Amino acid sequence: MKIGFLITARLKSTRLPLKLLMDLNGKPIVVRVIERAQKVYNIDDIILCTSTNKQDKPLTDIALKSNIHYYLGSEEDVLKRLTDASNFYGLDYVLSITGENPLFSVTHANRVVDTIIEEEPDFTYLEGLPIGCGVSGIKVKALEVICKIKKVIDTEIWGPLINQPSIFDVHKIVVNEFYRKPDLRITTDYIEDYQFINTLFSHFEPDDIPSLASIMELLDTHSEYLEIHKEREQEELSENKLSEIKSFYINNKDQVEEIKNSIY
């Protein structure tokens, strides 16, 4: 079994332009993500998945400097980019995170890897972590099924497409109470998010890789930091879109199963 850690990253953000290159206590945001990925065990390859757009070249330069792989794929179709990168590097499973999440939990990423190795599910996800702190574990063949059946190109928010227990073997890992803050946002969608995370990083040395546990403890001591980005909300799929996805699987279950069987 070959497991890859795929970091999806582009520099096209309109809300916070070039955010992945913004400094966090001496290092760009995306480098902070790479450093954490390098701490996850039983990973065969770390791959920065970006696009063929020349705007994203600084990301490939960072990948090379960080001694990890990169893949240039679809500009808009994130799932296709992940799938193509997985097949290019001969992966069986992937852990997936976006490059805007510099404080994802290494501890819980290791739990996802353990689940993949022990149970080989199609999809593994973490329930209860702060937004931006969890990774997903995905069987590459499941990605291929989704790419075959999906009807949309913009797949930036793709979790509901694969979190379908009626079709796929889905494994949920519920985190313990200490980490259970699902409404807390620790990601960098907006300038206020960056200011919040930059404040957190200021408590550590430049070469530190702070654990999520240390971040939670810091926020218990400095709850005032939460005021920095409290007005910002996480972008999510609309109820209509979620309902549309659910209806698709209900109405096309036999067809989807047939496609899945042909790929598996």
Side-chain angles (χ1 to χ4, degrees):
M1 179 190 298
K2 189 175 183 182
I3 303 174
F5 199 122
L6 272 54
I7 303 168
T8 52
R10 291 213 51 208
L11 296 177
K12 67 169 186 173
S13 173
T14 54
R15 291 190 295 260
L16 190 54
L18 304 179
K19 63 184 176 182
L20 301 189
L21 304 181
M22 295 176 74
D23 181 83
L24 282 181
N25 199 19
K27 298 179 183 180
I29 288 175
V30 70
V31 171
R32 295 294 183 183
V33 178
I34 292 169
E35 288 180 336
R36 297 181 88 77
Q38 290 169 329
K39 292 293 183 181
V40 180
Y41 55 53
N42 290 327
I43 296 296
D44 295 285
D45 291 315
I46 299 173
I47 303 152
L48 190 67
C49 297
T50 188
S51 83
T52 54
N53 191 314
K54 63 182 181 180
Q55 177 191 36
D56 293 324
K57 187 180 183 302
L59 296 173
T60 64
D61 294 339
I62 286 174
L64 291 172
K65 190 175 294 186
S66 301
N67 198 31
I68 67 169
H69 299 297
Y70 67 84
Y71 183 82
L72 307 181
S74 171
E75 287 192 53
E76 302 300 331
D77 193 334
V78 179
L79 273 178
K80 178 170 171 48
R81 196 189 317 157
L82 287 171
T83 304
D84 290 348
S86 300
N87 287 325
F88 183 83
Y89 285 99
L91 304 177
D92 301 298
Y93 279 87
V94 301
L95 265 66
S96 175
I97 192 74
T98 65
E100 61 192 19
N101 295 324
L103 285 169
F104 76 83
S105 174
V106 173
T107 298
H108 292 88
N110 285 332
R111 288 188 63 184
V112 172
V113 173
D114 287 341
T115 299
I116 288 172
I117 292 172
E118 293 167 8
E119 303 186 30
E120 300 186 21
D122 295 322
F123 180 58
T124 306
Y125 70 101
L126 295 151
E127 181 179 89
L129 284 180
I131 295 166
C133 295
V135 304
S136 301
I138 315 149
K139 190 172 188 173
V140 173
K141 287 183 178 179
L143 282 174
E144 292 173 358
V145 173
I146 296 299
C147 282
K148 193 85 171 178
I149 66 175
K150 68 182 178 63
K151 303 296 184 182
V152 295
I153 294 301
D154 183 1
T155 52
E156 187 172 357
I157 302 176
W158 50 263
L161 288 171
I162 197 168
N163 190 359
Q164 297 290 333
S166 65
I167 300 294
F168 297 107
D169 178 13
V170 176
H171 188 103
K172 176 174 69 176
I173 299 174
V174 180
V175 305
N176 66 36
E177 193 65 30
F178 175 75
Y179 293 100
R180 196 170 180 79
K181 293 186 182 293
D183 296 325
L184 171 61
R185 297 177 65 258
I186 308 183
T187 187
T188 51
D189 281 336
Y190 303 96
I191 186 61
E192 294 90 345
D193 298 333
Y194 167 72
Q195 293 165 346
F196 168 68
I197 292 180
N198 199 35
T199 300
L200 298 178
F201 267 92
S202 71
H203 284 264
F204 301 90
E205 295 298 320
D207 287 331
D208 285 350
I209 302 176
S211 67
L212 181 57
S214 67
I215 295 297
M216 304 295 266
E217 291 167 355
L218 179 60
L219 288 173
D220 283 342
T221 306
H222 293 281
S223 59
E224 71 274 13
Y225 293 166
L226 298 172
E227 297 293 312
I228 297 173
H229 70 334
K230 70 175 184 178
E231 300 300 325
R232 293 300 188 179
E233 296 182 355
Q234 190 67 17
E235 182 179 352
E236 297 179 345
L237 287 182
S238 68
E239 289 299 322
N240 284 343
K241 179 58 68 174
L242 291 172
S243 178
E244 181 183 325
I245 292 171
K246 183 178 179 180
S247 296
F248 171 82
Y249 277 101
I250 291 173
N251 297 330
N252 298 276
K253 190 173 188 299
D254 291 344
Q255 181 185 356
V256 173
E257 288 281 11
E258 185 177 336
I259 292 171
K260 182 185 175 188
N261 290 336
S262 70
I263 290 175
Y264 278 56

